[in-house]
């Protein structure tokens, strides 16, 4: 079922959202200061391509830099990526078949706003990590 959901996700919005993260990462990578943000953006692009069967968990050793970095991220790229997830999610929820995809997009809104200090893990391995 995860494979089917990921394929449908990829076709109906996942690729477009992943490209948004790649563009944000490429722009942020232009400066040395933006490289940590670019890495987070590329990590989110990877997750946006194939989200079903994986989840994001808090990085246990993320410190104050993550908090400060997330505030900057919201200003630099997070707000429009979150808006993209909201618009895409609403469009997907128009059809009954698209509702699971729309819900998945809505679940990505918080992490699109605050991606620093997150790690992608297999959903089956969630018991190894502290998951909220």
């Amino acid at each position: 079922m995860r494979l089917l959901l990921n394929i449908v996700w990829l076709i109906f919005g996942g690729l477009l959202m992943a490209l948004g993260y790649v563009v944000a990462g490429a722009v942020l990578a232009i400066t040395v200061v933006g490289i940590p943000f670019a890495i987070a953006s590329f990590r989110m692009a990877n997750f946006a391509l194939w989200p079903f069967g994986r989840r994001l968990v808090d990085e246990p050793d993320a410190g104050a830099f993550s908090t400060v970095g997330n505030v900057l991220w919201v200003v630099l790229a997070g707000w429009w990526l979150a808006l993209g997830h909201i618009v895409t999610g609403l469009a997907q929820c128009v059809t009954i078949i698209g509702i699971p995809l729309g819900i998945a997009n809505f679940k990505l809104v918080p992490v699109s706003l605050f991606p620093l200090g997150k790690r992608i893990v297999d959903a089956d391995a969630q018991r190894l990590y502290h998951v909220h």
Side-chain angles (χ1 to χ4, degrees):
M1 185 56 117
R2 290 178 185 171
L3 177 64
L4 180 61
L5 280 170
N6 278 317
I7 291 170
V8 173
W9 168 271
L10 189 64
I11 294 168
F12 294 106
L15 184 60
L16 184 63
M17 289 308 305
L19 286 174
Y21 284 104
V22 168
V23 168
V27 169
L28 291 166
I30 292 172
T31 67
V32 174
V33 175
I35 291 175
F37 301 103
I39 292 169
S41 188
F42 295 143
R43 182 175 52 247
M44 287 306 303
N46 175 14
F47 187 72
L49 278 175
W50 209 256
F52 295 99
R54 301 190 302 169
R55 64 185 308 123
L56 290 158
V57 296
D58 291 330
E59 189 73 53
D61 57 350
F65 173 75
S66 295
T67 304
V68 172
N70 278 326
V71 171
L72 291 171
W73 172 265
V74 168
V75 174
L76 297 173
W79 68 271
W80 65 269
L81 289 167
L83 184 62
H85 282 296
I86 292 168
V87 169
T88 304
L90 288 172
Q92 289 169 332
C93 285
V94 170
T95 66
I96 292 174
I97 294 172
I99 290 173
L101 303 177
I103 291 170
N105 256 309
F106 298 142
K107 287 181 179 180
L108 287 171
V109 169
V111 78
S112 68
L113 289 170
F114 308 109
L116 298 172
K118 301 289 184 193
R119 179 189 319 184
I120 300 169
V121 297
D122 185 44
D124 296 331
Q126 72 183 8
R127 65 184 172 279
L128 299 174
Y129 301 95
H130 178 65
V131 180
H132 298 288

